[in-house]
Amino acid sequence: MKRYLIIIIAVLLLGQTSAGGGLPKLLKKVGTMLDSMSVRGLDRRYIDAPERPWQVIVRGNVNQSILSMKTTGTIADIEYDAKPHLKTKPSRYVGVWAGYRGYGVGYTVNVGGDRGSYFTLGATGGAYGVNVRIHSFENSSPNFDLNSDVIPEEDKDEWYEVELANPIKVHTVIADGYYLFNGKHFSYAAAYDQSVIQKRSAGSLMAGAMYYYGSIDYSSRTNGDLIYLMQGLGKVKLWQGSVGVGYAYNWVPARGLLVNAMAMPMLTFVNKIKAYGYGTNMEELMVDPRFMGEGMSDDEWDEWFYGNLRISPMGDKTFNSGMTVNIDARLSLTYNFGRYFINAYGQFNNMRYSHDGTHGHLNDWFVNTSIGIRL
């Protein structure tokens, strides 16, 4: 609501620029309004706003996503459990964030690990805050745990580290907002974008809401064997809406130093899944004498198998997965010295889904380090 109010006021002020002052005057008025909002209702003994309103931050990020799925099925009257376990290597990102009084944008790019990028939006101030994080990445080397008599014991290690011909593509959007019941003495912004400074220790009960969207797609033709083991499931989209109540605390052990911890269990009341099914010709290939690879080199077998492997869309189905409990937890360390500050913080999210014989979860964590300057 605060963001919309700012936009409305900006539009109204824009209508006055033709009468005199122009864009510089408009920007000055908006800046003055944000300056006033950043300290309104705060106890200045606990929270103070720096004189310099701009923050420019260089960030380094280490991230890991763990996607775990499980399904049960039958091949030739033999039961099996398939457990694709996509665990990316810790990935490294570098980027920049810039904002005015806690309202800003950031972008980071991958420099190691999975192929991906992050885009972030943030609006923090007073007792309210909104953050949006967009992450996209690809991985072609998932750990794959397959329990079945179909696979001989001596061959299970080969299945555990699978190299896919086409990568699994994952795209996530996490948007969260919060309200602080003790915004007069406690600042979330002091710990996560350094737009204000926490001078004394304080904590606050907080209410939050989170929107999550995730897309997991491995529906390329050459992944037909994986699709077959997943009982025809080739792509999943998830939408989740959650609300929760948690607690956050800012500890100031020394001047300029701030330690923040926050934990919020969240009840997911919207948990919608759209599953995309595909048919394959795996059973036809499995009865072909060439399937066992006798008299063929690995390259010859790959050329025959992947050259003949086919998939075909069989439609999609949308269903609700029911209520579940997710977790939002964060930890932050900040040190302010003059115009400069350094910060490190981590966040952990857990998202779950289930339907019939298929269920899974997505754990996503990152550790962010940064150094910034106020201008």
Side-chain angles (χ1 to χ4, degrees):
M1 185 176 295
K2 181 188 296 184
R3 181 177 60 181
Y4 294 147
L5 178 61
I6 293 172
I7 294 173
I8 292 170
I9 293 175
V11 171
L12 293 175
L13 291 174
L14 184 63
Q16 300 176 8
T17 57
S18 59
L23 184 60
K25 188 175 181 179
L26 166 65
L27 295 177
K28 184 176 180 179
K29 287 184 178 181
V30 173
T32 301
M33 180 181 62
L34 292 177
D35 292 341
S36 176
M37 291 171 59
S38 67
V39 297
R40 185 178 302 153
L42 301 182
D43 187 334
R44 302 297 287 272
R45 297 173 301 168
Y46 284 80
I47 304 169
D48 200 9
E51 293 183 3
R52 302 175 185 271
W54 289 94
Q55 305 92 47
V56 178
I57 304 173
V58 177
R59 287 179 168 174
N61 181 291
V62 178
N63 168 272
Q64 186 176 43
S65 297
I66 303 171
L67 170 64
S68 180
M69 298 180 286
K70 180 180 179 180
T71 188
T72 58
T74 302
I75 298 177
D77 296 326
I78 300 176
E79 295 183 353
Y80 70 89
D81 291 329
K83 300 178 181 178
H85 187 72
L86 191 162
K87 183 176 182 179
T88 67
K89 296 179 180 179
S91 300
R92 297 171 296 280
Y93 293 77
V94 294
V96 64
W97 187 94
Y100 185 95
R101 296 296 187 199
Y103 296 81
V105 297
Y107 186 72
T108 59
V109 294
N110 175 263
V111 294
D114 65 49
R115 301 188 297 272
S117 62
Y118 271 102
F119 177 73
T120 57
L121 289 169
T124 60
Y128 301 89
V130 177
N131 294 281
V132 179
R133 185 162 62 99
I134 302 172
H135 184 205
S136 298
F137 70 92
E138 298 180 352
N139 187 281
S140 57
S141 303
N143 294 335
F144 193 87
D145 186 5
L146 184 65
N147 296 323
S148 175
D149 293 336
V150 175
I151 305 297
E153 188 68 31
E154 61 272 16
D155 294 337
K156 287 186 177 180
D157 288 343
E158 296 182 10
W159 276 90
Y160 187 69
E161 295 184 0
V162 176
E163 187 68 29
L164 299 177
N166 279 287
I168 296 176
K169 299 177 181 179
V170 181
H171 179 72
T172 63
V173 178
I174 299 176
D176 57 37
Y178 64 86
Y179 173 79
L180 302 172
F181 292 93
N182 187 23
K184 183 177 181 179
H185 299 117
F186 172 88
S187 173
Y188 185 87
Y192 293 98
D193 64 28
Q194 292 73 50
S195 57
V196 297
I197 297 174
Q198 184 85 37
K199 298 164 65 177
R200 293 186 180 183
S201 300
S204 178
L205 187 70
M206 59 192 303
M210 177 180 290
Y211 166 79
Y212 170 80
Y213 166 78
S215 173
I216 306 159
D217 186 0
Y218 49 92
S219 59
S220 61
R221 180 184 63 82
T222 51
N223 289 337
D225 47 357
L226 174 60
I227 293 172
Y228 179 69
L229 289 173
M230 292 303 296
Q231 293 188 302
L233 184 66
K235 181 166 60 175
V236 178
K237 292 184 179 181
L238 304 94
W239 294 266
Q240 295 187 339
S242 308
V243 294
V245 177
Y247 189 80
Y249 189 78
N250 279 345
W251 178 43
V252 184
R255 183 174 181 179
L257 182 62
L258 172 63
V259 181
N260 169 272
M262 185 275 283
M264 182 181 296
M266 306 196 80
L267 178 64
T268 300
F269 61 93
V270 174
N271 200 0
K272 187 172 72 171
I273 303 172
K274 189 172 186 179
Y276 294 79
Y278 295 83
T280 75
N281 63 336
M282 273 292 297
E283 294 185 1
E284 176 184 335
L285 294 177
M286 288 168 63
V287 299
D288 190 299
R290 290 169 290 185
F291 185 75
M292 301 307 295
E294 295 182 2
M296 302 172 66
S297 67
D298 289 344
D299 289 341
E300 289 174 335
W301 189 89
D302 287 345
E303 182 178 357
W304 167 78
F305 179 73
Y306 291 110
N308 289 279
L309 187 59
R310 298 287 184 269
I311 67 171
S312 57
M314 301 293 289
D316 56 72
K317 181 179 179 181
T318 301
F319 50 88
N320 291 315
S321 185
M323 287 191 179
T324 188
V325 176
N326 293 321
I327 300 172
D328 188 7
R330 306 179 191 187
L331 184 68
S332 171
L333 176 66
T334 303
Y335 182 65
N336 295 280
F337 52 104
R339 297 170 54 190
Y340 302 92
F341 52 88
I342 55 177
N343 171 263
Y345 73 89
Q347 180 172 342
F348 173 80
N349 294 107
N350 169 261
M351 306 293 175
R352 307 180 199 179
Y353 70 91
S354 64
H355 180 68
D356 293 338
T358 300
H359 61 270
H361 65 263
L362 175 65
N363 290 340
D364 186 86
W365 66 263
F366 71 89
V367 175
N368 188 87
T369 59
S370 61
I371 181 168
I373 182 173
R374 297 184 178 94
L375 302 173

